[in-house]
Amino acid sequence: MKKWSVVIVLGAAQFVMVLDGTVMNVSISTVVKDLGTTVSAMQAAITFYTLTMAAFMLFGAKLGDIWGRRRAFVIGSIVYALGSLTTALAPNIAVLFLGWSIVEGLGAVLVIPAIAALVADNYAGRDRITSFAVIGAVSGAAVAAGPLIGGFLTTYASWRIVFVAEVVIMAVVVLFARIIADKAAPRSERIDFWSVLLSAAGLVFVVFGMLQSKTWGWITPLASPVIAGVPIAPLGISLTAWLILAGIVLLWGFLRRQRRLVASGRPPLVHVSLFSIRQLRSGLSVLGAQYAVTAGLFFMVPVYLQMTLGLDALQTGIRIFPLSISLILFSIVGTRLSSRWSPRRIVRVGQWILVGSAVLLLGAVTPDLQEALFAVGMFLAGAALGLLASQLGAVNMSSVTEKETSEVGGLQGVFQNLGSSLGTALIGSILIGALTTSFAAGVASSTLPDSVKSTISEKTQGGVAIVPVSTVTEIGKENGLNADQSEQLATIYSESQLSSLSTAFFGLIAITLGSLLLSSGIPNEVAGRKRSEETVA
């Protein structure tokens, strides 16, 4: 047990880092009600939690090199605990956003890169591979346990208890951090301010643009932000497109600056030359796609189960439970398979299973939940994610030397959280955009009075809010509709929600198929065998 005490401490921190997103997702409807906010605001909070981590992860990894990885791990754990406490006490969405999306995110940027580097520092050889597999399995377990923990506590107590528990866990992690060895000596380096600014701003612009596409439109403006009474849509193009374009330009400038820093003998925020390593490039890309799919799935499923079907948080967690079981199980299976199959073969099997699961879930999204089909789809999704989690950490870390593990740990954090941010922003925006289009078309073709159609058309110009289907009838009555008209409006809204969910699931299938193209650089050799002995996967 003493041998594995370090990975237990690091795993506890990893568990908390991953747990937050899935806990909050199944609690969406309750948090919306408790804080008097909206699903769109919660989507923004979920997105910015991971976006904060993505934007500053490289900065956090560099601070770990300068301060020492264990010190960065401890400081990050304390900051994260303070953010969790703020979130637990949040009286409104603004304070929750500050504590969860910002403060916790900033703590995590110090913790996550340090975990990867400290595993490499404390273990070698086969033990290191096992330790990375354990960290991957812990991440999977957090994804799996989150819906049940969040569902149970939200239904029978309060979602706030989860964040109080995180404070306690991180306090224990800090107390036991002294057993962790930190072999890398702190480096005396200056961090380039412009590199931090360019990378953070570029990522924020891209993701925020995607997040707002549901309101502003992608190219043609649907609605525009107004400053001093003037709609902002330069040259008649949606601000979404301009933000994404600006983000891409800033990220291009960031890459150029890193090359110039290296050429001048100054330390970069990240060595761009790492992206020339095919194995690392492929591993990071698949990792990002995996987290995008996971985040998209964990945003859509609770919306369907809670807003469309009216299930509570615990019932939602129970419906997600098959994914929880299979994710943990297949993380172990994937680790065992690595002695017989190549990483590429395991990853591709996982990707194809993920495609199949998304197709099954698409078929299960009906007015009355197809329980068996949904359960099989969730089980297969968990199996796929478990297989991927068992391989990608080791694939990325084994592509570089020990000296570069902290930097690669930071890159892993960037791709994980950028994938999560893009998944929530993109899939959420597809969902809300499709809901707006479908609902507007349904109302326009209905037998509702022209005055009602005109009013609804005007009020949905900036998008349609996701609300429980069960409340639409009452909303209609409160706005002057009679009983029959209110029932008709509720039917249109329910059908529109189902249609938009189907569109979003199709987007998930497209992302998963696209990720297959990214896996070609993952090693095609079984560990310990020569290439000639490997059957082509």
Side-chain angles (χ1 to χ4, degrees):
M1 176 63 76
K2 186 177 180 181
K3 174 183 178 181
W4 301 110
S5 58
V6 170
V7 82
I8 290 171
V9 174
L10 296 175
Q14 181 76 11
F15 184 87
V16 170
M17 299 295 109
V18 177
L19 181 72
D20 259 6
T22 54
V23 164
M24 194 60 87
N25 279 4
V26 298
S27 306
I28 284 176
S29 61
T30 304
V31 178
V32 165
K33 187 176 180 180
D34 285 354
L35 300 183
T37 186
T38 65
V39 172
S40 291
M42 284 302 299
Q43 182 200 2
I46 292 168
T47 299
F48 270 85
Y49 170 62
T50 50
L51 179 56
T52 298
M53 289 190 275
F56 294 100
M57 192 67 68
L58 294 175
F59 179 52
K62 186 62 71 174
L63 285 176
D65 289 338
I66 294 171
W67 293 346
R69 293 158 182 175
R70 186 172 62 185
R71 180 182 295 177
F73 176 78
V74 170
I75 293 172
S77 297
I78 293 170
V79 171
Y80 195 94
L82 291 173
S84 295
L85 182 60
T86 303
T87 305
L89 301 175
N92 53 49
I93 187 64
V95 176
L96 181 140
F97 191 94
L98 173 65
W100 187 47
S101 304
I102 306 299
V103 178
E104 283 191 34
L106 292 174
V109 303
L110 293 170
V111 174
I112 292 173
I115 289 174
L118 290 170
V119 167
D121 272 352
N122 285 266
Y123 298 97
R126 190 70 189 173
D127 286 347
R128 182 181 295 174
I129 295 172
T130 302
S131 297
F132 279 123
V134 168
I135 295 296
V138 166
S139 297
V143 170
L148 286 176
I149 293 172
F152 179 82
L153 291 175
T154 299
T155 303
Y156 293 109
S158 171
W159 54 271
R160 298 176 189 273
I161 293 176
V162 176
F163 294 96
V164 174
E166 289 182 354
V167 175
V168 175
I169 293 172
M170 296 312 290
V172 172
V173 165
V174 170
L175 286 175
F176 283 90
R178 69 186 67 182
I179 70 173
I180 303 171
D182 186 1
K183 297 178 182 177
R187 302 179 195 172
S188 179
E189 292 182 3
R190 288 181 58 190
I191 297 178
D192 182 61
F193 168 78
W194 289 108
S195 295
V196 176
L197 183 63
L198 286 169
S199 62
L203 292 172
V204 169
F205 276 30
V206 170
V207 175
F208 185 68
M210 289 187 177
L211 181 66
Q212 289 299 111
S213 64
K214 62 183 181 292
T215 301
W216 297 341
W218 287 95
I219 303 295
T220 303
L222 297 177
S224 302
V226 177
I227 298 177
V230 180
I232 307 301
L235 302 177
I237 301 297
S238 168
L239 195 57
T240 291
W242 290 113
L243 281 174
I244 293 173
L245 180 61
I248 291 171
V249 170
L250 288 169
L251 292 174
W252 174 76
F254 166 74
L255 294 175
R256 281 182 59 87
R257 184 163 184 84
Q258 302 316 291
R259 293 191 180 97
R260 286 203 301 271
L261 288 171
V262 171
S264 64
R266 296 167 60 193
L269 193 60
V270 63
H271 286 86
V272 178
S273 58
L274 288 173
F275 292 109
S276 65
I277 302 172
R278 186 166 179 251
Q279 176 177 325
L280 179 61
R281 189 171 65 243
S282 191
L284 290 173
S285 300
V286 175
L287 184 71
Q290 173 203 345
Y291 273 80
V293 171
T294 303
L297 187 66
F298 272 84
F299 181 76
M300 284 191 298
V301 168
V303 166
Y304 169 58
L305 295 177
Q306 296 179 8
M307 298 298 182
T308 306
L309 302 183
L311 303 185
D312 63 28
L314 179 57
Q315 291 169 325
T316 299
I318 291 171
R319 297 308 189 284
I320 296 174
F321 188 62
L323 181 149
S324 307
I325 292 296
S326 61
L327 200 156
I328 296 171
L329 176 64
F330 279 85
S331 292
I332 299 169
V333 169
T335 303
R336 295 288 180 87
L337 277 176
S338 62
S339 63
R340 299 182 181 181
W341 288 6
S342 69
R344 189 194 303 177
R345 185 176 187 182
I346 296 171
V347 165
R348 285 188 169 170
V349 167
Q351 289 173 315
W352 279 113
I353 292 174
L354 195 55
V355 171
S357 71
V359 172
L360 291 178
L361 290 171
L362 177 59
V365 175
T366 60
D368 297 310
L369 177 63
Q370 304 296 306
E371 294 274 8
L373 192 61
F374 188 84
V376 172
M378 293 302 287
F379 183 87
L380 290 178
L385 295 173
L387 290 175
L388 293 171
S390 72
Q391 301 300 307
L392 295 177
V395 164
N396 291 329
M397 288 300 172
S398 65
S399 67
V400 298
T401 64
E402 288 189 24
K403 182 182 177 183
E404 298 159 319
T405 54
S406 179
E407 197 163 359
V408 172
L411 286 172
Q412 281 202 144
V414 169
F415 276 78
Q416 286 173 355
N417 291 290
L418 181 59
S420 295
S421 299
L422 291 174
T424 305
L426 183 58
I427 295 299
S429 295
I430 290 172
L431 176 64
I432 295 172
L435 174 62
T436 301
T437 302
S438 179
F439 183 64
V443 169
S445 61
S446 71
T447 58
L448 290 170
D450 289 342
S451 59
V452 174
K453 292 180 182 179
S454 176
T455 300
I456 291 175
S457 175
E458 181 180 336
K459 289 187 175 182
T460 58
Q461 285 297 313
V464 174
I466 298 178
V467 298
V469 169
S470 59
T471 66
V472 176
T473 301
E474 193 60 35
I475 291 172
K477 291 178 181 178
E478 290 173 357
N479 284 273
L481 302 185
N482 62 37
D484 289 341
Q485 292 170 344
S486 296
E487 287 293 338
Q488 186 178 3
L489 187 68
T491 299
I492 294 170
Y493 184 79
S494 176
E495 291 172 351
S496 298
Q497 266 199 3
L498 290 169
S499 173
S500 63
L501 283 160
S502 296
T503 302
F505 267 112
F506 184 79
L508 211 61
I509 294 169
I511 293 172
T512 308
L513 285 171
S515 73
L516 279 162
L517 302 175
L518 304 173
S519 59
S520 60
I522 291 176
N524 201 28
E525 293 179 335
V526 177
R529 293 189 193 175
K530 295 179 180 179
R531 180 176 294 273
S532 60
E533 295 175 319
E534 170 66 14
T535 302
V536 176

